[in-house]
Amino acid sequence: MKTIQKHKFRIKKDDTVLVIAGNFKGKRGKIVTILPDKHKAIVEGINIITKHVKPSAQNTEGGRVEQEAPIHISNLKLIDPATSEAVKVGRKADSKGKLQRYSKKTGEFI
């Protein structure tokens, strides 16, 4: 039987991130959801696509709907809340021994 590996990402839900590659390079947004199996995240206002939907009970007219599409996590960089700059993120133990995220630029915990 295949074992499921739990992924540890440097970004979490509700973090503000900077897009560092792709059509939306340089834009900032807030993470809405993370898709760990696909290594992707959905960022608010980034990677907007137009999806054609058929008429249904909820949407009687159908038509075209704009929505956010997932973007790969490697194309995102965390914005440090304290300095509002994009930073590299590491993980190290705090004084209680619990692993915490920290900014590699300033050394402060996030």
Side-chain angles (χ1 to χ4, degrees), residues 50-62:
T50 303
K51 185 173 183 179
H52 294 73
V53 292
K54 288 185 176 181
S56 64
Q58 290 90 14
N59 186 5
T60 56
E61 291 194 15

Side-chain angles (χ1 to χ4, degrees), residues 1 52 59 83 91 104 108-109:
M1 184 128 202
H52 294 73
N59 186 5
T83 61
R91 293 171 57 213
K104 289 187 174 183
E108 298 292 321
F109 287 108

Side-chain angles (χ1 to χ4, degrees), residues 87-102:
V87 293
K88 289 184 178 180
V89 179
R91 293 171 57 213
K92 67 179 176 182
D94 61 2
S95 59
K96 298 177 184 173
K98 185 177 178 187
L99 278 178
Q100 296 282 334
R101 298 183 301 165
Y102 77 99

Side-chain angles (χ1 to χ4, degrees), residues 23-79:
N23 292 339
F24 292 87
K25 182 177 181 177
K27 303 264 185 180
R28 294 176 180 219
K30 186 176 174 185
I31 293 185
V32 179
T33 55
I34 297 223
L35 309 168
D37 297 339
K38 298 180 181 180
H39 295 272
K40 294 186 176 194
I42 296 178
V43 183
E44 188 176 29
I46 304 294
N47 204 17
I48 302 292
I49 61 166
T50 303
K51 185 173 183 179
H52 294 73
V53 292
K54 288 185 176 181
S56 64
Q58 290 90 14
N59 186 5
T60 56
E61 291 194 15
R64 300 187 318 192
V65 177
E66 288 191 346
Q67 65 184 34
E68 292 110 358
I71 185 168
H72 201 272
I73 287 181
S74 66
N75 295 332
L76 302 175
K77 200 168 189 180
L78 180 71
I79 302 288

